[in-house]
Amino acid sequence: MKRKKRFFNGIVFKSLSGIIIILVIYSVIVSLIGFSGFTDALLTQYQDGAFRTADAASLRIQADRIKEYSEKGWESSEYKRIWDELDKLCNSTGVTFIYVIRPDLTDYAHITFLFSTINHDSEFTCYEFGYVRETTNDEYRQKYRNLYEGTSEQELVVRDRGYIETEPHITAMIPLKDSAGNTQAILCVQRQMDVLTEARNNYVRNIVLVLIILGSIVVVCQGVFLNHVCLRPVKEINKEASRFAKENTSSERKLTSIIHNRDEIGVLADSIDCMEERIVKYVDDLTTITAEKERIITELSLARKIQSNMLPNQFPPFPDRAEFDIFASMNPAKEVGGDFYDYFLVDEDHLCLVIADVSGKGVPAALFMMASKIIIGNYAKMGKSPGKILEAANKTICSNNKEDMFVTVWLGVFEISTGRLTAANAGHEYPVLKQPGKNFELVRDNHGFVIGGMDGMKYKEYEIELKPGSRLFVYTDGVPEASDSNNDLFGTERMIEALNIEPEASPKKILENVHDAVEGFVKDAEQFDDLTMLCFEYKGKNDKN
């Protein structure tokens, strides 16, 4: 059952079906053209013969004596003579009827038979002299009128479908005119179309038989041809495609060694051979690349953990110090980032705060970030001032910076006992400060040049007096430059608004408010840059100390 269904859905069956349909349409068109042409030719021959017979019969009748014939009929020897001649003519020419009629000239609705002869081999009967009958139909009535009124010299009626007691026939009509040119009667010659019909039917049968034989030969030959040229190669291609789909290995025997077509099928076979080779190579390459990618992902994941562990990530960081609170976060745009923050006690009375942004992203920025963090931290722990720390770090980094990378840094040293913050800015974002009873506001400090950009740079320091309840917020440019799907920036103003949602909140809550505001702004847009923030709260001097 499946093989049968597959055959009916196959290329050969569809191709042969198309050929058969075309042959059928062609046969029908040829048959119709032949039928029409054959019919017209025979009909023309019938018409010519009927009118020649009518002309011959008209020579035997004297139109000037029509009135005499109609009055005496068989009583006239002349009538009998003419009838005999018409009878002989009818039987010698093979026509069915020769008759002469006189129509009722008032409306041509009735006709009267004057002469009526019939072929002796016919099974029909002729009308008696003087027989009156109704005109057959309006067509005959109009033709009688045309002949009597002189609008035509001959008329023809073709009754191809038969009528009452007669089979299909033609009737040729000519007027019988007297010496004055007036029509006195109409002579009609009727000839049956049985010979024409039989000849036409034989023609149709013969042409259909020939077309069937030729069509069968074409179908068989085309089927063999399609099977050899199309079906067999396609089966080989299908077989090879199914094998390759299961095994995913190149065949030892190429399709081009089996299929020798030089047409589109041959091109397809060659394409499939090439495709198999390329797919196998692609799968091998993809397997290698996938393994390498998994290795890189694993290593990047490990690098991210290492980088995250290098940043202070336990909060509160100094549980035994009630004078201040700190909270910070870093969300890299890629697996690893170039931003970093740091805080540590230089001594019991001095706290160092750092936030920085390395140029670039990814692994290079992460490596540069870790080196910068270590260098800055080492100099800070020596007890240097912020400006000197940045100068020393810049000198060290510039001494071996072949990749020309740089880092922006804000660094502050907070004296816990006095609340005095000394800071320096190496090309970093402005810090944001909130004094007690006020909102967060930008501190537009003096910017120095970036670290690693040029050797020998000097950095200015400035001081800020923090009072109990003050909060300091520092960040990287990933916050104000966060963009939505329309490439609109989050901006500094929105950042200040987010900080002032709950200005008296804890550092952790303040960072959460800013982060939520950024997320609500960018929505589904891809994170473009690292997002790093740090918030410091000064609670005041501890009386116990």
Side-chain angles (χ1 to χ4, degrees):
M1 185 67 182
K2 290 183 178 180
R3 292 186 63 183
K4 185 177 180 181
K5 185 176 181 181
R6 188 181 302 167
F7 170 76
F8 287 112
N9 291 328
I11 296 176
V12 173
F13 177 77
K14 292 179 180 179
S15 300
L16 292 179
S17 298
I19 293 172
I20 291 172
I21 292 172
I22 293 174
L23 288 175
V24 170
I25 295 173
Y26 173 78
S27 300
V28 170
I29 294 174
V30 170
S31 299
L32 290 176
I33 294 174
F35 179 86
S36 177
F38 192 82
T39 300
D40 292 343
L42 287 179
L43 189 59
T44 299
Q45 184 179 0
Y46 265 57
Q47 294 173 9
D48 293 343
F51 278 113
R52 284 196 298 269
T53 301
D55 292 337
S58 67
L59 296 175
R60 291 162 171 76
I61 301 174
Q62 298 182 33
D64 291 327
R65 300 181 64 181
I66 289 296
K67 185 175 182 181
E68 177 187 340
Y69 301 152
S70 64
E71 291 176 352
K72 294 183 178 182
W74 289 101
E75 297 178 359
S76 170
S77 58
E78 179 68 14
Y79 179 89
K80 292 179 180 180
R81 183 187 63 80
I82 294 173
W83 191 92
D84 288 338
E85 291 183 3
L86 293 178
D87 184 65
K88 292 178 182 178
L89 182 63
C90 179
N91 285 275
S92 64
T93 57
V95 299
T96 307
F97 294 101
I98 298 177
Y99 56 91
V100 178
I101 60 172
R102 295 187 72 184
D104 180 1
L105 299 182
T106 57
D107 56 5
Y108 297 91
H110 295 81
I111 57 174
T112 302
F113 285 83
L114 300 182
F115 294 93
S116 180
T117 63
I118 190 171
N119 193 298
H120 298 166
D121 295 330
S122 173
E123 58 187 16
F124 301 110
T125 58
C126 61
Y127 292 107
E128 296 294 333
F129 169 77
Y131 181 76
V132 179
R133 54 162 285 187
E134 292 183 0
T135 302
T136 303
N137 55 32
D138 290 339
E139 181 185 7
Y140 279 88
R141 185 180 296 116
Q142 184 61 45
K143 292 184 182 296
Y144 296 156
R145 187 187 300 277
N146 293 341
L147 293 172
Y148 257 88
E149 295 180 358
T151 57
S152 67
E153 292 299 321
Q154 64 180 27
E155 292 287 348
L156 180 71
V157 176
V158 180
R159 303 189 62 75
D160 200 10
R161 298 182 181 178
Y163 178 72
I164 309 175
E165 62 276 303
T166 64
E167 295 297 328
H169 63 274
I170 63 170
T171 302
M173 305 176 187
I174 62 172
L176 295 176
K177 296 183 178 181
D178 58 18
S179 56
N182 297 319
T183 301
Q184 298 298 322
I186 298 174
L187 188 145
C188 303
V189 175
Q190 180 176 319
R191 186 174 183 180
Q192 300 305 112
M193 297 174 61
D194 51 349
V195 177
L196 182 147
T197 302
E198 181 62 25
R200 186 172 59 190
N201 291 342
N202 287 336
Y203 169 80
V204 172
R205 282 194 294 268
N206 291 335
I207 196 70
V208 169
L209 180 61
V210 169
L211 289 173
I212 289 174
I213 294 173
L214 291 177
S216 300
I217 295 173
V218 170
V219 168
V220 172
C221 294
Q222 187 66 19
V224 174
F225 176 78
L226 285 174
N227 183 68
H228 178 73
V229 175
C230 181
L231 182 60
R232 186 185 63 81
V234 169
K235 284 183 177 179
E236 291 292 339
I237 292 174
N238 181 62
K239 180 180 177 181
E240 174 58 21
S242 300
R243 184 206 66 78
F244 183 74
K246 294 178 181 179
E247 301 176 6
N248 288 325
T249 57
S250 296
S251 175
E252 296 180 358
R253 189 180 182 189
K254 301 298 182 182
L255 283 173
T256 48
S257 66
I258 303 173
I259 300 171
H260 304 289
N261 295 44
R262 296 184 179 181
D263 53 15
E264 290 82 355
I265 294 178
V267 174
L268 177 61
D270 183 61
S271 299
I272 290 179
D273 285 342
C274 294
M275 180 193 69
E276 288 184 358
E277 293 177 358
R278 291 178 181 178
I279 289 178
V280 170
K281 186 177 184 301
Y282 174 77
V283 171
D284 292 341
D285 293 344
L286 185 62
T287 301
T288 303
I289 292 172
T290 302
E292 182 67 16
K293 185 176 180 180
E294 290 177 352
R295 183 187 66 80
I296 293 173
I297 290 174
T298 301
E299 292 181 357
L300 286 175
S301 177
L302 180 60
R304 182 168 187 170
K305 291 179 180 178
I306 293 173
Q307 184 185 42
S308 177
N309 291 334
M310 285 192 65
L311 300 179
N313 53 26
Q314 292 185 357
F315 303 100
F318 305 104
D320 57 339
R321 302 302 296 262
E323 301 98 324
F324 58 87
D325 188 15
I326 302 173
F327 193 85
S329 66
M330 197 272 281
N331 297 308
K334 295 184 179 294
E335 288 78 4
V336 289
D339 289 1
F340 71 90
Y341 64 83
D342 200 2
Y343 51 83
F344 50 87
L345 288 169
V346 178
D347 54 41
E348 288 299 318
D349 195 36
H350 292 88
L351 174 70
C352 183
L353 302 172
V354 183
I355 190 162
D357 184 0
V358 175
S359 61
K361 302 175 183 65
V363 174
L367 294 174
F368 195 80
M369 160 260 181
M370 288 188 286
S372 300
K373 178 179 180 298
I374 293 171
I375 291 171
I376 293 172
N378 287 340
Y379 285 119
K381 291 175 182 178
M382 293 180 183
K384 295 177 178 288
S385 66
K388 296 300 181 180
I389 295 171
L390 297 181
E391 288 177 14
N394 180 63
K395 182 177 180 180
T396 301
I397 291 174
C398 286
S399 65
N400 190 21
N401 186 16
K402 296 180 181 180
E403 301 300 326
D404 292 328
M405 297 186 72
F406 61 87
V407 57
T408 66
V409 183
W410 180 93
L411 187 146
V413 176
F414 180 67
E415 191 173 48
I416 302 172
S417 60
T418 63
R420 185 172 62 249
L421 175 69
T422 304
N425 192 328
H428 198 76
E429 301 290 325
Y430 293 124
V432 186
L433 179 65
K434 176 199 174 303
Q435 293 287 16
K438 296 182 180 180
N439 287 332
F440 280 96
E441 295 179 354
L442 281 178
V443 178
R444 300 185 180 276
D445 56 3
N446 293 323
H447 282 191
F449 200 59
V450 297
I451 302 297
M454 184 181 298
D455 193 10
M457 296 301 300
K458 303 296 182 180
Y459 297 92
K460 294 182 178 181
E461 299 177 354
Y462 61 93
E463 292 185 357
I464 300 176
E465 190 73 26
L466 298 184
K467 298 178 181 179
S470 298
R471 289 167 176 80
L472 178 70
F473 176 78
V474 288
Y475 54 95
T476 61
D477 58 4
V479 178
E481 293 180 4
S483 58
D484 61 10
S485 57
N486 296 322
N487 291 324
D488 293 330
L489 298 180
F490 181 68
T492 304
E493 291 184 4
R494 289 190 179 90
M495 182 186 71
I496 299 297
E497 291 175 0
L499 289 169
N500 288 321
I501 293 175
E502 296 180 84
E504 303 294 336
S506 66
K508 180 180 179 181
K509 181 60 177 176
I510 288 174
L511 262 61
E512 289 176 353
N513 289 341
V514 176
H515 186 271
D516 292 344
V518 172
E519 288 290 314
F521 176 77
V522 301
K523 296 181 180 178
D524 296 331
E526 183 179 0
Q527 183 179 342
F528 179 75
D529 200 357
D530 301 337
L531 197 69
T532 305
M533 300 177 286
L534 182 148
C535 186
F536 170 77
E537 178 187 4
Y538 178 51
K539 296 183 178 182
K541 183 178 179 181
N542 188 354
D543 293 337
K544 293 181 180 181
N545 295 337

